[in-house]
């Protein structure tokens, strides 16, 4: 992921940003080339499963007592209950642990926003055209993680 001077926006180069070198000249882990799955640590796995399943409808590929994996296209999206000593404690909804962005086709952000409102989802920022070329809506999951739905602006 190429981060940019002035911020990192989903690994994409903003129109007015100066790109940094994408890879160091001699990376330590040179065989790592992509993100394969993302795990969101949870306190209430059942509540989080219901939220993400009902919201996105990603097919569940693995379901065990402390982990759920869903097929989210090119990435596997996982929810895992905090069970390991190094998982730490959740800081609660007032202190998000992660921000995850989901891309939709151009023209879909407003309808997504309406659907989120109808479901009673906590909206953090209504649909907004961003300077980096995205139209976004920000909202949170039941444990306070920041979620974003975005579309590319023409």
């Amino acid at each position: 992921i190429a981060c940019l001077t002035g911020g990192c926006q989903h690994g994409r180069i903003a129109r007015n940003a100066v790109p940094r070198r994408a890879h160091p000249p001699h990376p330590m882990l040179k065989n790592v080339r992509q993100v394969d799955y993302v795990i969101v640590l949870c306190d209430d796995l059942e509540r989080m499963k219901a939220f993400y399943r009902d919201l996105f409808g990603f097919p569940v590929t693995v379901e065990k007592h402390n982990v759920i994996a869903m097929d989210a296209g090119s990435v596997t999206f996982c929810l895992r209950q905090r069970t390991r000593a190094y998982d730490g404690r959740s800081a609660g909804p007032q202190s998000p642990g992660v921000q995850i962005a989901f891309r939709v086709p151009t023209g879909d952000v407003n309808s997504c926003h309406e659907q989120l409102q109808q479901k009673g989802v906590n909206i953090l920022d209504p649909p907004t055209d961003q300077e980096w070329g995205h139209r976004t809506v920000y909202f949170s999951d039941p444990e306070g993680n920041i979620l974003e739905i975005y579309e590319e602006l023409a």
Side-chain angles (χ1 to χ4, degrees), residues 1 9 16 27 42-43 45 68 83 100 107 118 125 137 152:
I1 294 175
Q9 298 301 329
N16 61 354
C42 308
D43 291 321
L45 186 61
I68 295 161
T83 57
I100 304 170
Q118 289 169 2
D125 265 333
V137 60
E152 299 282 344

Side-chain angles (χ1 to χ4, degrees), residues 85-108:
Y86 55 81
D87 285 344
R89 291 187 1 225
S90 170
Q94 66 280 7
S95 184
V98 67
Q99 177 176 325
I100 304 170
F102 300 91
R103 184 178 179 176
V104 296
T106 300
D108 280 5

Side-chain angles (χ1 to χ4, degrees), residues 22-110:
H23 298 285
H26 304 290
M28 182 173 63
L29 301 174
K30 63 183 178 180
N31 291 332
V32 175
R33 292 291 175 244
Q34 73 181 32
V35 174
D36 187 55
Y37 60 90
V38 173
I39 299 172
V40 175
L41 298 176
C42 308
D43 291 321
D44 186 340
L45 186 61
E46 285 303 312
R47 182 174 179 206
M48 294 285 278
K49 174 180 87 169
F51 177 83
Y52 282 95
R53 181 196 58 224
D54 295 349
L55 193 65
F56 296 114
F58 296 142
V60 174
T61 57
V62 174
E63 187 164 358
K64 298 189 177 184
H65 73 282
N66 67 341
V67 68
I68 295 161
M70 294 173 255
D71 182 355
S74 63
V75 174
T76 299
F77 184 79
C78 302
L79 302 170
R80 183 171 65 75
Q81 190 149 18
R82 295 174 189 274
T83 57
R84 300 176 183 159
Y86 55 81
D87 285 344
R89 291 187 1 225
S90 170
Q94 66 280 7
S95 184
V98 67
Q99 177 176 325
I100 304 170
F102 300 91
R103 184 178 179 176
V104 296
T106 300
D108 280 5
V109 165
N110 289 347

Side-chain angles (χ1 to χ4, degrees), residues 3-18:
C3 284
L4 313 169
T5 306
C8 187
Q9 298 301 329
H10 314 297
R12 290 181 174 71
I13 297 176
R15 293 184 180 139
N16 61 354
V18 178

